[in-house]
Amino acid sequence: KLRRQLAFQAAMALRDPPLARPVVQLRAMDKITARMTSIRVPVGQAIEFGTLTIASRACYENPPTETPESASFLEIIDKPVARQPYNVFAGWMFASSPALSAMDHPIYDVWVEGCVTAGS
């Protein structure tokens, strides 16, 4: 058992850590109009999409030596015209598995496409 634990620790030490990126690339859809929109949200900032306010808190991607994966921590608030604002989503979204941690909203879909550097 100790040998397996040491082997696991050695393997984890060899892994390259995830790379923090300054911008998350999102794809958003208005289900009523079927309009798709690409959105870039700098980490630490928020943007408006319809009645949603989408804030990015972190964006990480695996280094080229690992399996491709991007993940972003998002906070999404809906501000409908006739109602009080309410939290729609807060958590990690993964580019490779959008259904794993999906936002549930009757009008909008939002998912992570990846993390990017500011100039790309």
Side-chain angles (χ1 to χ4, degrees):
K1 184 176 181 178
L2 179 60
R3 186 177 299 178
R4 276 189 288 162
Q5 184 178 6
L6 291 174
F8 176 76
Q9 289 174 344
M12 294 309 292
L14 293 175
R15 289 191 62 182
D16 291 328
L19 305 170
R21 297 293 187 218
V23 179
V24 61
Q25 176 76 40
L26 302 173
R27 189 78 158 165
M29 180 174 75
D30 181 324
K31 296 177 192 177
I32 306 294
T33 64
R35 182 184 67 148
M36 302 282 283
T37 305
S38 289
I39 302 170
R40 287 188 174 199
V41 184
V43 171
Q45 296 183 26
I47 58 94
E48 304 288 326
F49 177 74
T51 61
L52 300 180
T53 299
I54 304 168
S56 171
R57 301 296 178 221
C59 198
Y60 291 97
E61 70 179 0
N62 279 349
T65 57
E66 301 291 332
T67 305
E69 178 63 279
S70 295
S72 181
F73 191 90
L74 301 174
E75 294 175 348
I76 303 174
I77 298 170
D78 192 3
K79 297 178 182 176
V81 176
R83 293 182 27 201
Q84 290 287 81
Y86 65 97
N87 292 334
V88 175
F89 180 87
W92 289 95
M93 281 191 185
F94 300 90
S96 67
S97 304
L100 180 65
S101 180
M103 179 186 81
D104 184 27
H105 193 276
I107 299 173
Y108 304 108
D109 273 340
V110 175
W111 61 94
V112 171
E113 288 188 317
C115 300
V116 295
T117 57
S120 58

